[in-house]
C-alpha cells in the first residue's frame, strides 16, 4: 500500500506542475497537455479506489492512519479536477472572445445592413426579456415578503388567542372549584338545619310531657 500511495502522491505533484504548463500553453500544445493531465487524473482516481480496498486489509493499528492518507489523496484529486475544469473554462471563454473579436474586426458594415438590424433587434428583445424577468422576480420577492409578514402576524394572533383560551380555562377551573365548595357547604347547612329541627322538636316534646 505504501508504494501505491507514494506513486499516487507523485502523480498529484506532476498534475499540479502540468496545470501550470497548461495555463501557459499555446497552439497545438494545449490539447496535448490537457490529454496528459486528464490521463494522470484518471490514474489517480483508479489508484484511490485500489487504496480504499487495501486500507481494509491493513492491521487495525495502522488502518486509521492509512485511511487518512487515502482520503487526503482523494481530496487532492478533487481539487485537481476542479482546477482543470476552471482552466478549461477560461480557455474556452478566451477562444470564444478571440473569435468574436476577430469576427467583429473583419466584418464590413454598410448602410441599411439587414443583418446588423436583425442583430440589434435580437439584442434589444433579449434585453427587454431580461428586464421583464428581473421585474417579475422583484414582484415575486415582494409577494413572498408580504406572505411572510402575514404569517408572522397570524402567528402572533394565534399566540394571543391561545393565551386567552388558557386564561379562560384557568378561570373556569377556579369557578368549578368554588361551585363545588358552595354545593358542599349547602349540603352541610341542610344537615345542620334538619338536625337542629329534630333536636328542637325533641326538646319541645320532652318539655311538654314532663311539665304538663
Amino acid at each position: 500500500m505504501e508504494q501505491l500511495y507514494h506513486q499516487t502522491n507523485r502523480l498529484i505533484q506532476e498534475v499540479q506542475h502540468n496545470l501550470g504548463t497548461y495555463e501557459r500553453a499555446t497552439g497545438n500544445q494545449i490539447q496535448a497537455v490537457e490529454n496528459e493531465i486528464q490521463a494522470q487524473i484518471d490514474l489517480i482516481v483508479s489508484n484511490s479506489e485500489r487504496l480504499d480496498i487495501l486500507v481494509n486489509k491493513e492491521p487495525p493499528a495502522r488502518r486509521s492512519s492509512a485511511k487518512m492518507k487515502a482520503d487526503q489523496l482523494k481530496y487532492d484529486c478533487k481539487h485537481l479536477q476542479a482546477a482543470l475544469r476552471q482552466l478549461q473554462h477560461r480557455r474556452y471563454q478566451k477562444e470564444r472572445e478571440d473569435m468574436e473579436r476577430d469576427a467583429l474586426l473583419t466584418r464590413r458594415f454598410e448602410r441599411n445592413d439587414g443583418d446588423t438590424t436583425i442583430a440589434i433587434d435580437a439584442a434589444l428583445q433579449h434585453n427587454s426579456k431580461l428586464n421583464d424577468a428581473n421585474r417579475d422576480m422583484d414582484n415575486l420577492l415582494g409577494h413572498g415578503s408580504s406572505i411572510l409578514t402575514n404569517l408572522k402576524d397570524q402567528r402572533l394572533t394565534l399566540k394571543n388567542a391561545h393565551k386567552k383560551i388558557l386564561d379562560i380555562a384557568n378561570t373556569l377551573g377556579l369557578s368549578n372549584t368554588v361551585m363545588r365548595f358552595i354545593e358542599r357547604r349547602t349540603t352541610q347547612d341542610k344537615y345542620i338545619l334538619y338536625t337542629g329541627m329534630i333536636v328542637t322538636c325533641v326538646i319541645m316534646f320532652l318539655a311538654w310531657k314532663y311539665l304538663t
Side-chain angles (χ1 to χ4, degrees), residues 25-38:
T26 57
N28 296 330
Q29 185 184 6
I30 295 176
Q31 192 62 44
V33 177
E34 182 178 342
N35 292 337
E36 182 179 0
I37 292 174
Q38 188 61 55

Side-chain angles (χ1 to χ4, degrees), residues 40-55:
Q40 289 174 329
I41 290 177
D42 292 340
L43 183 56
I44 292 172
V45 173
S46 177
N47 289 349
S48 298
E49 293 175 353
R50 291 174 58 193
L51 285 171
D52 285 337
I53 298 174
L54 295 176
V55 164

Side-chain angles (χ1 to χ4, degrees), residues 118-128:
I118 293 174
I120 293 175
D121 291 342
L124 290 174
Q125 185 178 5
H126 180 67
N127 185 54
S128 178

Side-chain angles (χ1 to χ4, degrees), residues 21-161:
T21 305
Y22 177 73
E23 189 173 9
R24 297 185 300 270
T26 57
N28 296 330
Q29 185 184 6
I30 295 176
Q31 192 62 44
V33 177
E34 182 178 342
N35 292 337
E36 182 179 0
I37 292 174
Q38 188 61 55
Q40 289 174 329
I41 290 177
D42 292 340
L43 183 56
I44 292 172
V45 173
S46 177
N47 289 349
S48 298
E49 293 175 353
R50 291 174 58 193
L51 285 171
D52 285 337
I53 298 174
L54 295 176
V55 164
N56 296 325
K57 297 180 180 180
E58 287 289 313
R62 298 174 51 189
R63 190 173 300 168
S64 177
S65 176
K67 189 175 187 308
M68 288 180 61
K69 291 181 179 180
D71 291 341
Q72 182 63 40
L73 290 178
K74 289 190 288 185
Y75 179 79
D76 293 339
C77 181
K78 289 181 180 179
H79 275 274
L80 293 176
Q81 291 173 325
L84 177 60
R85 287 193 297 268
Q86 186 177 7
L87 291 176
Q88 289 174 334
H89 177 72
R90 288 181 185 174
R91 182 170 64 84
Y92 296 151
Q93 186 175 7
K94 186 177 182 302
E95 290 178 354
R96 186 176 66 252
E97 291 175 353
D98 292 341
M99 291 177 60
E100 292 176 352
R101 184 177 64 254
D102 293 339
L104 182 62
L105 292 175
T106 57
R107 184 173 182 177
R108 297 179 60 187
F109 294 96
E110 298 178 359
R111 294 183 61 186
N112 299 327
D113 191 345
D115 294 337
T116 305
T117 303
I118 293 174
I120 293 175
D121 291 342
L124 290 174
Q125 185 178 5
H126 180 67
N127 185 54
S128 178
K129 289 182 178 179
L130 288 177
N131 291 331
D132 293 339
N134 187 34
R135 185 170 57 253
D136 292 338
M137 286 299 298
D138 290 338
N139 293 334
L140 183 62
L141 289 174
H143 184 63
S145 177
S146 177
I147 291 175
L148 288 176
T149 302
N150 291 333
L151 289 175
K152 290 180 181 178
D153 294 339
Q154 292 178 7
R155 181 173 177 270
L156 292 175
T157 302
L158 290 174
K159 286 181 66 177
N160 293 332

Side-chain angles (χ1 to χ4, degrees), residues 164-195:
K164 290 181 179 179
I165 291 174
L166 290 177
D167 293 340
I168 293 174
N170 292 331
T171 303
L172 290 176
L174 181 60
S175 300
N176 291 333
T177 302
V178 174
M179 290 297 295
R180 285 195 295 270
F181 279 129
I182 293 174
E183 292 176 354
R184 188 181 303 170
R185 183 60 184 271
T186 302
T187 303
Q188 293 176 354
D189 292 343
K190 187 183 297 183
Y191 291 154
I192 293 172
L193 176 62
Y194 290 157
T195 303

